[in-house]
Amino acid sequence: MNFFLEWFHDAMKNGVHEPNSMTLSTIDPDGAPDARVLILKDVDDKGWYFASSSESNKGKQIDKNPGVALTFYWSIMGRQVRIRGNAIQMEKELSVKDFLNRGAVARAIALIGKQSTILDKLQDFDEALKQQMTRVRQTPDLASTSWKLYRVEAKEVEFWQGNEDRKHIRLRYQLKGEEWIKNLLWA
């Protein structure tokens, strides 16, 4: 974890645009991989945190198969971090706190509750957003019941340092019981 935080802080110091952007990969009901970019909410000794609606495709996929992967790529530094583990739903209070920390428009969009479903016309979205914005203004502590904060508990973390000569350095940590085993990998 300390090594990740060191690299993360290096990315911030080196001007990486949105260093907290990461790709979350899940498995759909047919066993096919699915990926999208999300924002890292926090990281601590227990794992990496992100939030989403449990009714979204990713939320449903995590419910059926909590095995996920996170990928960070900081191109200007030639660095990538890959994390594999399980997504664990956090307590309701933490999910509510995360939801209420979002901007008003983001909360209103989440309250619409139709992420990833078919939208017939943009006017429908505008009308639904207007309705939910009214709810958010009238009830500032209103939180979506489907909004969940997740923690990814890693089983494997790989650090990749690119090299112009293609002599990349790869360092993998694998959790075996309570111990992290470190191995250098072939490029």
Side-chain angles (χ1 to χ4, degrees):
M1 188 69 63
N2 290 337
F3 198 37
F4 174 82
L5 288 173
E6 182 181 318
W7 275 27
F8 185 75
H9 291 301
D10 284 348
M12 289 192 298
K13 284 189 263 182
N14 283 287
V16 171
H17 181 68
E18 296 184 342
N20 56 341
S21 294
M22 62 184 185
T23 301
L24 167 70
S25 300
T26 55
I27 302 297
D28 77 8
D30 297 323
D34 199 356
R36 75 288 287 154
V37 176
L38 297 177
I39 296 297
L40 174 69
K41 297 287 190 144
D42 198 3
V43 61
D44 63 20
D45 290 340
K46 295 179 182 176
W48 289 258
Y49 296 80
F50 68 92
S52 179
S53 168
S54 60
E55 295 173 0
S56 67
N57 286 344
K58 62 187 157 296
K60 292 174 185 174
Q61 291 166 0
I62 290 168
D63 185 53
K64 297 288 184 204
N65 180 352
V68 300
L70 302 176
T71 306
F72 293 85
Y73 180 58
W74 303 308
S75 63
I76 65 172
M77 299 173 60
R79 287 182 174 173
Q80 174 180 259
V81 180
R82 295 177 31 200
I83 301 155
R84 295 175 56 192
N86 288 319
I88 310 298
Q89 223 178 81
M90 298 287 80
E91 298 81 17
K92 178 183 177 182
E93 300 79 30
L94 293 174
S95 295
V96 168
K97 181 180 176 184
D98 179 80
F99 187 83
L100 295 177
N101 280 334
R102 295 167 60 83
V105 174
R107 291 194 319 266
I109 290 171
L111 285 166
I112 293 171
K114 295 187 178 189
Q115 184 180 16
S116 302
T117 63
I118 294 172
L119 175 64
D120 292 325
K121 56 187 185 262
L122 283 176
Q123 182 181 354
D124 294 343
F125 176 78
D126 293 337
E127 288 174 17
L129 179 58
K130 184 178 176 183
Q131 290 173 358
Q132 295 307 321
M133 284 299 296
T134 299
R135 287 181 70 201
V136 167
R137 280 192 291 276
Q138 291 174 347
T139 315
D141 60 345
L142 176 65
S144 168
T145 57
S146 66
W147 192 256
K148 306 297 178 200
L149 182 67
Y150 296 91
R151 177 179 66 227
V152 176
E153 295 180 350
K155 296 179 182 178
E156 181 176 304
V157 181
E158 181 184 318
F159 296 89
W160 177 90
Q161 176 64 66
N163 180 290
E164 289 180 15
D165 295 332
R166 309 298 297 168
K167 294 177 2 185
H168 310 308
I169 297 171
R170 293 175 62 198
L171 184 61
R172 181 181 62 203
Y173 291 84
Q174 288 181 301
L175 187 61
K176 302 288 185 187
E178 298 291 317
E179 184 180 357
W180 285 97
I181 307 300
K182 179 172 80 171
N183 288 295
L184 192 59
L185 303 176
W186 285 86

